[in-house]
Amino acid sequence: MRKVLLTATVLSHIAQFHNPLIKMLQENGDEVHVAAKNNLSEKNGLKLDTPDRIFDIPFDRSPLSKNNLIAYKELKRIINENQYDIVHCNTPMGGIVTRLATKGLRKYGTKVIYTAHGFHFYKGAPLKNWIMFYPIEKNMASITDDLITITTEDNTLANHKKFRTNVHHVHGVGVNSKRYRVMESEEYNLLRQKYNCENMFVILCTGELNLNKNQSTIIKAMPDVLKKYPNTVLYIAGNGPMKNELEHLILSLGLKNHVELLGYRTDLEKFVNMSDIVVSASIREGLPLNIMEAMICGKPVVASNNRGHNELIKEGKTGFIVSPTDSIQFANRIIKLLDNDALRRSFGEKAIKCIKPYDVINVMEELKLIYQKYSKQ
């Protein structure tokens, strides 16, 4: 039996993305611990009850926060006490602090894995991102046994720049094809009735309410959509620091009856399935799970031009790619899809086929191959 520690900046990251990995490891006979800042109270019922043990560590997303020094000391103590066979870290600050805390233990056999959920330096990224994050990640690679990349661009970059570690490509964190699936028409109709939108076009946007997710562009597109299709509603799922500003924007544009902030939801599969179109205007993405969930449910997508969306969406075949700040272009593409039932259906059918490699079953097999290198005899 191996002892495995998973870390991330916040527990919600583990709860949202890594339960399948935890279960896979436990089924293999491994003991799995988790260390992250406990933010689950902010997530409206999100739970994490699969790990064998959970440590609340005060990681902070800001590189300058003193909390990360406290987190480093607490994490180092926990790692020393538990003598883990494998430490698997995630997220930028969680990954940096964890790898520093394990630095002296690799010579005793502890293996360190880091999953990059999207490097902050990438083609088209601001120069400051390359100056700040690129040298950090390249240096950190030398104290990492395995680097897992989830986008083709990041994988190519890590290999091209000769990061001194084993570099792997895995198809994201895996989309749950049992939870996210195409509904039967009867189930679909009942769901639409429940939310009083039987005769409405439903648009869905999910993600933390922050500047990067850029929901304001989608909201600004709605007046143009409503001119042609007044029976349209936009649901925005998520919570975050931009909530008040988005509420003010909705009211200022007179969209109170057509745009609803749902808050953080643990039943997103319902809203994905009853939607006609899924949208995202984020500035930066690694490999967005919300887009995978939409595609596996057969939904056409209108999304912003970034590496994560570009990797998943085939322009003009499974969705449309537009500028992240162009609300007029968003509105035009949404209207084009609402104009044409056959086009929406065609995009959705092709999306289901394209997303198959990202099914969680396949992703767990990819991760299993990496972990098998460190199996105990």
Side-chain angles (χ1 to χ4, degrees):
M1 181 183 76
R2 299 174 300 191
K3 288 184 76 172
V4 179
L5 176 67
L6 295 183
T7 73
T9 306
V10 289
L11 276 183
S12 61
H13 176 93
I14 302 288
Q16 289 170 314
F17 302 130
H18 296 296
N19 266 318
L21 173 59
I22 293 170
K23 291 175 182 177
M24 184 264 284
L25 291 171
Q26 289 172 332
E27 287 170 2
N28 185 61
D30 298 324
E31 181 180 341
V32 182
H33 296 183
V34 163
K37 180 181 178 181
N38 189 349
N39 68 330
L40 296 183
S41 62
E42 306 166 13
K43 298 299 179 182
N44 191 31
L46 183 65
K47 296 179 181 178
L48 182 64
D49 51 17
T50 48
D52 297 289
R53 193 170 178 186
I54 297 175
F55 299 98
D56 187 0
I57 303 293
F59 290 112
D60 197 298
R61 287 176 175 171
S62 170
L64 303 177
S65 173
K66 292 180 181 178
N67 285 339
N68 287 319
L69 179 58
I70 299 170
Y72 166 80
K73 292 177 180 178
E74 290 190 21
L75 194 60
K76 194 170 180 65
R77 176 184 59 80
I78 290 165
I79 292 171
N80 285 333
E81 287 177 359
N82 286 278
Q83 298 182 338
Y84 295 105
D85 299 290
I86 299 172
V87 176
H88 187 161
C89 50
N90 302 267
T91 68
M93 287 313 302
I96 290 169
V97 174
T98 300
R99 283 179 285 178
L100 290 174
T102 58
K103 188 175 179 181
L105 295 176
R106 292 175 67 235
K107 61 185 177 184
Y108 298 113
T110 299
K111 301 300 180 183
V112 179
I113 301 172
Y114 173 56
T115 296
H117 294 268
F119 289 138
H120 284 283
F121 47 95
Y122 51 91
K123 185 179 180 181
L127 179 61
K128 66 178 182 180
N129 286 26
W130 281 90
I131 293 171
M132 180 181 297
F133 294 107
Y134 170 67
I136 292 174
E137 285 294 354
K138 186 160 187 181
N139 286 328
M140 283 287 160
S142 65
I143 55 173
T144 307
D145 293 286
D146 291 273
L147 168 63
I148 298 173
T149 58
I150 63 173
T151 71
T152 303
E153 182 179 320
D154 285 354
N155 184 261
T156 301
L157 189 153
N159 280 298
H160 178 69
K161 297 294 185 180
K162 296 183 171 61
F163 279 29
R164 289 182 293 166
T165 184
N166 298 310
V167 181
H168 310 269
H169 178 245
V170 169
H171 287 84
V173 294
V175 59
N176 187 337
S177 55
K178 292 183 179 178
R179 181 179 170 194
Y180 290 88
R181 55 183 174 77
V182 178
M183 280 185 175
E184 299 292 335
S185 57
E186 184 178 353
E187 188 180 4
Y188 169 82
N189 291 333
L190 286 172
L191 193 57
R192 301 268 295 203
Q193 288 173 18
K194 179 181 177 181
Y195 288 94
N196 300 314
C197 55
E198 302 102 302
N199 302 311
M200 305 285 285
F201 283 120
V202 177
I203 302 170
L204 177 66
C205 179
T206 65
E208 184 178 358
L209 308 183
N210 61 32
L211 285 171
N212 179 60
K213 296 299 182 182
N214 189 34
Q215 290 92 348
S216 60
T217 294
I218 306 298
I219 295 170
K220 290 173 184 175
M222 283 300 289
D224 285 340
V225 174
L226 292 167
K227 285 176 186 176
K228 186 165 187 182
Y229 292 102
N231 59 329
T232 302
V233 62
L234 168 64
Y235 288 125
I236 299 177
N239 60 7
M242 293 293 292
K243 181 185 176 187
N244 291 339
E245 289 185 42
L246 294 177
E247 285 177 336
H248 178 74
L249 180 61
I250 291 165
L251 291 174
S252 69
L253 293 174
L255 297 173
K256 184 178 179 181
N257 296 324
H258 294 278
V259 179
E260 183 176 348
L261 300 182
L262 300 173
Y264 187 89
R265 304 290 303 206
T266 56
D267 59 349
L268 269 177
E269 68 277 7
K270 296 178 182 177
F271 292 90
V272 174
N273 259 302
M274 71 182 194
S275 67
D276 296 288
I277 301 170
V278 170
V279 296
S280 174
S282 30
I283 309 299
R284 180 184 64 82
E285 286 288 355
L287 201 67
L289 184 59
N290 62 320
I291 300 301
M292 298 182 206
E293 291 164 349
M295 293 176 72
I296 208 166
C297 290
K299 303 300 176 180
V301 178
V302 181
S304 48
N305 183 11
N306 63 50
R307 64 176 159 174
H309 292 156
N310 292 339
E311 183 144 335
L312 294 173
I313 300 162
K314 295 187 182 297
E315 166 65 23
K317 294 183 178 179
T318 63
F320 293 121
I321 298 289
V322 301
S323 168
T325 57
D326 193 336
S327 59
I328 294 174
Q329 198 178 17
F330 262 100
N332 289 341
R333 292 297 184 266
I334 290 169
I335 290 168
K336 186 171 183 176
L337 285 168
L338 295 182
D339 280 341
N340 193 329
D341 292 350
L343 184 63
R344 294 201 306 276
R345 207 161 38 245
S346 172
F347 277 17
E349 289 169 358
K350 291 172 183 173
I352 293 170
K353 294 177 182 177
C354 289
I355 210 65
K356 283 183 178 179
Y358 302 88
D359 191 307
V360 69
I361 296 170
N362 180 59
V363 171
M364 287 307 106
E365 288 301 316
E366 292 174 336
L367 287 172
K368 192 179 291 185
L369 289 174
I370 297 171
Y371 270 85
Q372 280 177 350
K373 296 193 304 178
Y374 306 123
S375 59
K376 282 192 167 182
Q377 301 300 321

